Amino acid sequence: MSANPRTNRTPVILAVVGVLVAAVLAAVLGVVLTTGDDDKDDAGENKSATGPKSAIRVVDPATLPAAVQPDGVIRVGSASAPVTVTVFEDFRCPFCKRFETGFGPLLADYAEAGKIKVDYHIASFLDGKLGGTGSVKAANAARCSVDAGKFAAYHTVLFTNQPEESEDGYTAARLLELADQVPGLRGEAFDTCVNTDANAAWVSAAETAFESSGVSATPAIAVDGKILDSGNSAMRSPDNLRELLDQRLENPGSGKAALGEEPQAPSAG
């Protein structure tokens, strides 16, 4: 773990039962992850300065390809997609679940359409904050699912079934149970990979890369290498993020993403 503690964007109470009982850890969520209706008209249609937009398509995540990149990120979508969205997540982070619930369908739609590719940086720092091994084990299992060709679908299942943040619920048995929800994922290779923590070195390297990236909390989002800070309206709703992505697609280099910060280039090996 990093010498500089990584704090999640939700208040957390850590209870250590023993001779001493300490309650420590509060953080402010810098990114506003709300899915308000500010960008909808009376009929509920998405709208923008250029007029109504079509509804976000419901995409089966099982159709989305994923591959581990040389720097260790897990890329979903086509490498030739013109815009890159980078997502920093920890599977035990409740605000990451909120982000995936609200913004995930947009990312899946645009990735399936070839408009964007999504690079996932999987962190596991919450084990150090909360105790247990759930973040590490979930990260390992997610990496196992890449080899099985099922990452996007399994990633969705893990966040949909996320345990309470303080509960160390991502055990090997639970991760295999959740894998049953992804057709074709279970098998000797995947089960062994999960049970033996076969990707422990990758998980450790991914956490080290996260700690050196300049990102201090999860979820964090970058568009074409520029971190969207808490003041960027693109983080307030999927419609706003969609507007930003459309601006980037129509005119590379434009849009609110240019106001962000560029993280250091991590390498997870």
Side-chain angles (χ1 to χ4, degrees), residues 8-11 29-36 87 89-107 155-156 158-163 170 218-219 221 235-238:
N8 184 32
R9 300 174 185 229
T10 182
L29 179 68
V31 178
V32 181
L33 297 178
T34 59
T35 55
V87 181
E89 294 178 326
D90 185 311
F91 281 108
R92 290 180 75 176
C93 163
F95 280 97
C96 295
K97 176 180 179 177
R98 181 179 295 186
F99 173 82
E100 287 297 333
T101 300
F103 293 76
L106 168 65
L107 299 184
H155 173 269
T156 298
L158 289 180
F159 275 116
T160 299
N161 295 275
Q162 184 188 70
Y170 283 130
T218 57
I221 314 301
M235 291 306 298
R236 295 175 186 166
S237 74

Side-chain angles (χ1 to χ4, degrees), residues 2-239:
S2 169
N4 296 318
R6 304 278 168 177
T7 55
N8 184 32
R9 300 174 185 229
T10 182
V12 180
I13 298 178
L14 298 178
V16 180
V17 180
V19 178
L20 299 176
V21 178
V24 202
L25 189 61
V28 176
L29 179 68
V31 178
V32 181
L33 297 178
T34 59
T35 55
D37 295 327
D38 293 343
D39 294 318
K40 294 184 178 181
D41 59 21
D42 292 338
E45 295 293 331
N46 293 332
K47 63 182 181 179
S48 69
T50 57
K53 290 182 178 293
S54 59
I56 298 299
R57 297 177 304 143
V58 176
V59 172
D60 181 356
T63 65
L64 298 175
V68 178
Q69 301 304 296
D71 63 356
V73 304
I74 299 174
R75 175 168 292 170
V76 172
S78 172
S80 63
V83 173
T84 302
V85 176
T86 306
V87 181
F88 298 82
E89 294 178 326
D90 185 311
F91 281 108
R92 290 180 75 176
C93 163
F95 280 97
C96 295
K97 176 180 179 177
R98 181 179 295 186
F99 173 82
E100 287 297 333
T101 300
F103 293 76
L106 168 65
L107 299 184
D109 180 357
Y110 274 37
E112 196 277 337
K115 297 177 179 179
I116 66 172
K117 49 187 174 288
V118 186
D119 286 351
Y120 287 97
H121 285 255
I122 306 300
S124 51
F125 66 93
L126 280 176
D127 286 347
K129 300 293 183 185
L130 304 172
T133 59
S135 290
V136 167
K137 287 188 176 298
N140 173 76
R143 175 64 181 81
C144 296
S145 72
V146 178
D147 295 334
K150 304 291 182 179
F151 170 77
Y154 190 51
H155 173 269
T156 298
V157 167
L158 289 180
F159 275 116
T160 299
N161 295 275
Q162 184 188 70
E164 291 296 320
E165 185 182 26
S166 60
E167 176 187 349
D168 191 27
Y170 283 130
T171 63
R174 178 57 173 161
L175 290 164
L176 291 176
E177 181 182 0
L178 292 175
D180 285 328
Q181 299 183 29
V182 181
L185 178 55
R186 292 292 300 272
E188 182 178 356
F190 176 80
D191 289 8
T192 299
C193 186
V194 172
N195 283 321
T196 63
D197 295 323
N199 294 303
W202 176 86
V203 173
S204 178
E207 172 59 22
T208 299
F210 171 73
E211 292 173 2
S212 64
S213 69
V215 173
S216 61
T218 57
I221 314 301
V223 175
D224 288 336
K226 301 292 185 178
I227 294 292
L228 305 185
D229 60 28
S230 59
N232 196 307
S233 63
M235 291 306 298
R236 295 175 186 166
S237 74
D239 285 340

